[in-house]
Amino acid sequence: MTPFVPAAGTPAPKPTADPRAPRLIAVWTPDWPVVALTVEAQRPDMPDPALTPVAVVGGRGVVAASAPARAVGIARGMRLRVARSLCPGLVVLPPQPDREARAYETVMDSLSDFLADPLVARPGLALSAAHGPARWAGGEEPLAAALVEAVAAGPGVECQVGIADSLLGAILAARRGVIIPPGDTPDFLAPWPLESLLHALATEQGRRRAGPLLEDFGRFGLRRLGDLATLPRRDVAARFGLEGERLHRLASGDWEALPRADRPAADVATQTQLDPPIERADTAAWAARSLAEQLSERLICLGVSAAGLRVEARCENGAELGRSWMLDTVLSPTELTDRVRWQLEGWLAGRSGRPPAAPLTHLRLVALGLTPAGTAQTGLWSTSGEQAERRAHRAAGRVESLLGVGGIRVPVPRPGRDPRSRVALIDWGETLAETLDEAPWDGALPAPSPALVPPEPLPAVLLDAHGRDVGVDRQGQLTAVPAAVAVDRSGEGVMPSRLSQWSGGDESESRPMRRRVILWGGPWPVDEHWWRPGGASRRAYLQVITDAGPPLLLARAGRWWVDGVYS
């Protein structure tokens, strides 16, 4: 391992580390979402990521890429079409969190030979205290070398080790494969970009909550971790709350104690006997869900949150298994269940290729690092909405995994003049490239927008008091006062809930539905796209309220059409 050396010309840093601060060690496995899909023996047909450009692509673009793929410019967050344009021979794989967590147990099993209780921050990143293991190995550098060799000899993958005085310092040191001397962590962190804070957040929910804060920091001119660390923490906490204070603490290189399993309280641990003993992961998932829900309920009743989760199991022959997971936010029972299920799958699928010696007979969950829930909750009234959003995202992710990338499209608002041009369909997980301009658009329809826009405009007739057609002249004015509107009865099949009131029992099925116009607004002429080869698009919009049925938005383009229905 290479110790950290300050840049030339900078004065030697003064040791300012907290004497209570433990040395933390981080073991990072690069490109783990890619490597995990090839590390299991049941997929011998998978390409070797060390030799082949491989990318794991999810709903938000590239999640991870192998070294050959990164060599041609493929980066995290890149859209699939851009990645394929850079590398036509790119092997695209879907994200599989279950397999990533299950395969990572092989790495954790190798680390357990040197670390007493390594903590899973997330699949691909493990954490542990470094003081005790370093004394046993003869120093921090021999310990780091032994860990790299153990992972290479066990699951056969590459890893990098970093040691520092703080959580973020150890994680970023692992990404460079260096050891930070005591007291030098703040100097090491200072030049890193502000987005590096996301590496220290273990859950997707935590990273999603930190994103807007990082954008706010950028608006204030904060670009690097050192810029944020120089601000008074009290002012950051007053302006950005507890989440901002935590990011400031990470950027400053302050130490954070890792969750430990010392003396777990009985009222924050749940357990169950598995009768009959469990040998299959799908069967264990049911027990995991029940225990996770019980643990979540107990934490809520006690008003506390957990910084870690320990999963313990006992085999039929008396052997005991245990693994700790890091949590950086309050998780829902479903998210807790996912972590327990991933761990059980890792054990039952085989530790370093060997399944447990006997079926599982006992399962226990322990909450670690308890703190008052008020320091971690995001808000009393936003919880249900956030949970619904997470469930919707998980459901959409599962459906997209079945249909493929681009199989789900969602409507998003964008600038425009009419209801059809103000909505765009984009792939789920993408963002609209256009900037939502707050300036008014000339000729745009006034608010509110129609509640329903039919897939295709419906034919209609607008008549004056003498039964003649009402048109729009060159000046954009109506040629007569509207008195009645008639809509083709085929509209009932397209919008039954909105146009049902237009039906009249005394009217013939062959006649269009005619209603008296009470009020009308407009017209709003639109003349645009004059540069297109097919010529300009000219139309006019008119809002009408009739004596029965919902208000309508009519469009004049050669004839009258129903282009929207108001609620």
Side-chain angles (χ1 to χ4, degrees):
M1 299 299 297
T2 305
F4 166 70
V5 179
T10 57
K14 299 179 180 180
T16 58
D18 192 318
R20 303 169 299 167
R23 299 283 285 168
L24 300 181
I25 184 169
V27 181
W28 176 56
T29 310
D31 309 321
W32 181 251
V34 173
V35 177
L37 296 174
T38 62
V39 76
E40 294 186 329
Q42 50 264 52
R43 293 298 302 273
D45 58 319
M46 298 300 295
D48 185 357
L51 305 175
T52 308
V54 181
V56 175
V57 181
R60 291 173 174 81
V62 176
V63 176
S66 63
R70 292 197 306 271
V72 297
I74 297 176
R76 179 183 173 90
M78 182 179 292
R79 304 310 305 171
L80 177 59
R81 57 177 174 268
V82 179
R84 285 199 180 279
S85 66
L86 295 175
C87 181
L90 180 68
V91 178
V92 178
L93 302 174
Q96 297 186 17
D98 293 9
R99 177 171 291 174
E100 294 173 19
R102 181 173 64 242
Y104 196 62
E105 179 59 23
T106 62
V107 177
M108 295 299 296
D109 188 62
S110 299
L111 297 178
S112 298
D113 295 337
F114 298 89
L115 306 176
D117 186 21
L119 184 73
V120 181
R122 58 180 178 271
L125 178 64
L127 303 171
S128 176
H131 181 67
R135 291 184 59 185
W136 177 83
E140 293 179 346
E141 292 189 26
L143 172 62
L147 293 175
V148 172
E149 293 177 1
V151 175
V157 299
E158 296 180 355
C159 73
Q160 296 181 187
V161 178
I163 303 178
D165 297 331
S166 71
L167 175 63
L168 181 60
I171 293 175
L172 296 183
R175 300 182 77 86
R176 287 190 177 177
V178 298
I179 297 176
I180 312 300
D184 288 358
T185 299
D187 298 88
F188 170 74
L189 292 176
W192 285 80
L194 208 61
E195 291 75 15
S196 304
L197 289 166
L198 298 177
H199 295 308
L201 304 180
T203 61
E204 182 63 31
Q205 178 186 355
R207 291 188 287 272
R208 188 166 58 246
R209 286 167 49 190
L213 284 179
L214 297 182
E215 294 180 2
D216 292 339
F217 291 154
R219 296 188 185 99
F220 288 123
L222 306 178
R223 297 290 182 266
R224 302 191 179 277
L225 297 181
D227 300 336
L228 178 59
T230 56
L231 298 179
R233 182 171 303 170
R234 182 173 57 183
D235 295 344
V236 174
R239 174 63 179 84
F240 298 102
L242 295 173
E243 190 68 24
E245 182 183 8
R246 186 192 178 196
L247 296 180
H248 183 276
R249 187 168 61 251
L250 290 171
S252 302
D254 290 355
W255 71 281
E256 293 188 13
L258 296 179
R260 301 179 62 184
D262 300 36
R263 301 177 185 176
D267 56 354
V268 288
T270 58
Q271 55 187 343
T272 184
Q273 290 293 130
L274 305 177
D275 188 17
I278 291 178
E279 297 182 87
R280 296 173 48 185
D282 55 351
T283 307
W286 292 101
R289 178 174 182 176
S290 176
L291 279 186
E293 292 176 349
Q294 294 177 25
L295 183 63
S296 179
E297 291 176 2
R298 291 189 180 183
L299 292 174
I300 293 174
C301 293
L302 294 172
V304 297
S305 61
L309 172 69
R310 183 164 180 82
V311 185
E312 299 176 347
R314 186 182 306 124
C315 299
E316 195 173 29
N317 63 350
E320 295 187 354
L321 307 173
R323 185 69 68 216
S324 300
W325 286 72
M326 181 179 177
L327 310 176
D328 59 14
T329 185
V330 179
L331 298 184
S332 67
T334 303
E335 292 169 318
L336 285 176
T337 301
D338 286 341
R339 280 152 180 79
V340 180
R341 179 171 53 84
W342 294 342
Q343 186 58 58
L344 293 178
E345 288 184 355
W347 283 332
L348 294 172
R351 309 171 70 198
S352 297
R354 302 183 303 273
L360 305 182
T361 60
H362 186 268
L363 181 60
R364 185 169 184 258
L365 306 183
V366 183
L368 310 177
L370 301 180
T371 57
T375 64
Q377 289 179 343
T378 58
L380 179 62
W381 307 114
S382 61
T383 301
S384 60
E386 291 175 357
Q387 291 179 351
E389 181 182 358
R390 288 196 297 268
R391 288 195 296 268
H393 277 270
R394 284 195 296 269
R398 294 189 184 101
V399 173
E400 187 180 45
S401 65
L402 298 175
L403 301 179
V405 178
I408 299 180
R409 308 189 73 190
V410 294
V412 295
R414 67 177 182 182
R417 293 184 172 85
D418 59 85
R420 293 183 181 276
S421 64
R422 291 174 61 184
V423 176
L425 287 175
I426 64 174
D427 293 345
W428 179 78
E430 288 190 355
T431 57
L432 193 64
E434 302 178 40
T435 302
L436 296 179
D437 192 356
E438 297 296 334
W441 280 54
D442 294 338
L445 290 176
S449 298
L452 184 62
V453 177
E456 297 293 338
L458 306 175
V461 177
L462 186 64
L463 305 174
D464 61 9
H466 302 286
R468 293 173 297 193
D469 182 65
V470 177
V472 179
D473 59 22
R474 292 181 177 272
Q475 286 72 37
Q477 301 297 321
L478 296 178
T479 58
V481 176
V485 60
V487 180
D488 194 318
R489 203 175 275 272
S490 62
E492 292 184 84
V494 179
M495 297 180 293
S497 61
R498 289 289 185 262
L499 294 181
S500 58
Q501 299 183 39
W502 283 76
S503 300
D506 57 341
E507 296 184 3
S508 170
E509 294 293 335
S510 60
R511 294 178 55 191
M513 298 174 291
R514 181 177 299 184
R515 289 291 180 263
R516 184 168 57 89
V517 174
I518 299 177
L519 296 173
W520 53 275
W524 292 275
V526 177
D527 187 355
E528 58 183 358
H529 298 162
W530 52 267
W531 60 88
R532 291 185 174 179
S537 172
R538 297 185 178 91
R539 58 195 183 280
Y541 290 95
L542 186 73
Q543 297 171 334
V544 297
I545 299 177
T546 63
D547 57 350
L552 301 177
L553 175 66
L554 303 181
R556 179 75 178 191
R559 59 167 299 171
W560 289 104
W561 305 86
V562 176
D563 209 25
V565 181
Y566 295 91
S567 58

